[in-house]
Amino acid sequence: MKKQLVFMAALLAFVFVLSGCSSDNKTVDKKTAEAIDISEYFPSIGMTREYIHYDTEGQTVESIETVNVSTDSEGNDSVYIHEKGGVTTETIKEYIVSSEEVKLVYLINTLGNNETAVVELANKPKWDKNDANKSVGMMTATGLTMEVPAGKYNEVIEITSVIPEDKEGKTIHYYAPESALLRPYSALKTQRTSFLTS
């Protein structure tokens, strides 16, 4: 029962945060968006984070994600996040990260191995995410300060995603420099960065 109350409180706090944010989907101006080095909003190479989530029944679910880099035979770097635990047992996401965008290019999980080209972040006011829902990503706020269970973060950006055919639905995510996606619904158990060699 206590776990269910904690889960419900966290969910209500997350909904409250979303309801108080850019409801009109007004984007930041082009100059502000282009001045952001979007690669700074991807987690640091070598970072390992352990989260505690709560499932729909209030049960504790733990997950660990690690950010790694490897170099292929042609000398190209491949950045990936390896997540164990959570709702899916194990997931590996491969990204191409530049100062202009963060693009998910490969996804491996229990459902299979899939090539993709989803643009999760871009230093533009608005962009096509190139996902199955034909979503549009928008940078709707910059320079925010947010406090979540993992801690307090400055220079946070707000990214709103909408599906053009779905006038009601939207998703709002917050990204902090070197920490990436902030998770208001999860408690960060540990976070550490080590220097990895490829």
Side-chain angles (χ1 to χ4, degrees):
M1 180 69 170
K2 184 177 179 183
K3 289 179 183 177
Q4 289 175 331
L5 289 174
V6 170
F7 173 74
M8 291 305 293
L11 184 60
L12 286 173
F14 183 61
V15 170
F16 177 75
V17 167
L18 290 182
S19 66
C21 297
S22 307
S23 60
D24 62 355
N25 298 331
K26 184 178 179 186
T27 63
V28 301
D29 63 84
K30 184 177 180 180
K31 186 176 179 180
T32 300
E34 289 178 348
I36 294 175
D37 180 347
I38 216 70
S39 68
E40 293 178 2
Y41 290 84
F42 193 81
S44 302
I45 303 299
M47 179 179 283
T48 298
R49 299 187 285 194
E50 184 176 0
Y51 290 96
I52 299 174
H53 313 273
Y54 298 95
D55 64 17
T56 55
E57 298 174 3
Q59 300 297 313
T60 301
V61 179
E62 293 188 18
S63 66
I64 298 172
E65 63 180 32
T66 305
V67 183
N68 295 302
V69 64
S70 64
T71 306
D72 65 19
S73 59
E74 296 175 3
N76 301 314
D77 284 344
S78 178
V79 180
Y80 60 96
I81 296 177
H82 186 183
E83 183 178 350
K84 292 182 181 180
V87 178
T88 58
T89 308
E90 189 167 11
T91 302
I92 297 174
K93 295 179 180 180
E94 183 180 341
Y95 294 89
I96 294 176
V97 180
S98 72
S99 60
E100 291 86 29
E101 68 181 15
V102 172
K103 184 186 292 186
L104 175 65
V105 294
Y106 207 77
L107 176 66
I108 302 170
N109 60 22
T110 54
L111 302 176
N113 302 343
N114 300 302
E115 286 188 39
T116 182
V118 176
V119 181
E120 293 186 355
L121 288 174
N123 68 343
K124 300 176 182 178
K126 190 175 186 178
W127 68 93
D128 290 327
K129 293 186 73 173
N130 197 31
D131 62 6
N133 295 322
K134 299 182 181 173
S135 302
V136 174
M138 296 175 282
M139 189 178 297
T140 47
T142 61
L144 302 174
T145 298
M146 290 193 69
E147 192 161 357
V148 297
K152 186 175 180 179
Y153 297 88
N154 297 312
E155 296 304 315
V156 173
I157 58 174
E158 178 184 88
I159 303 297
T160 302
S161 297
V162 296
I163 301 170
E165 291 83 33
D166 183 0
K167 301 296 181 195
E168 301 290 319
K170 69 178 175 181
T171 306
I172 300 174
H173 287 128
Y174 298 92
Y175 294 83
E178 298 182 7
S179 295
L181 180 64
L182 299 180
R183 301 177 184 205
Y185 47 86
S186 302
L188 182 67
K189 246 176 98 174
T190 62
Q191 177 172 307
R192 62 186 179 277
T193 302
S194 60
F195 295 100
L196 301 177
T197 57
S198 49

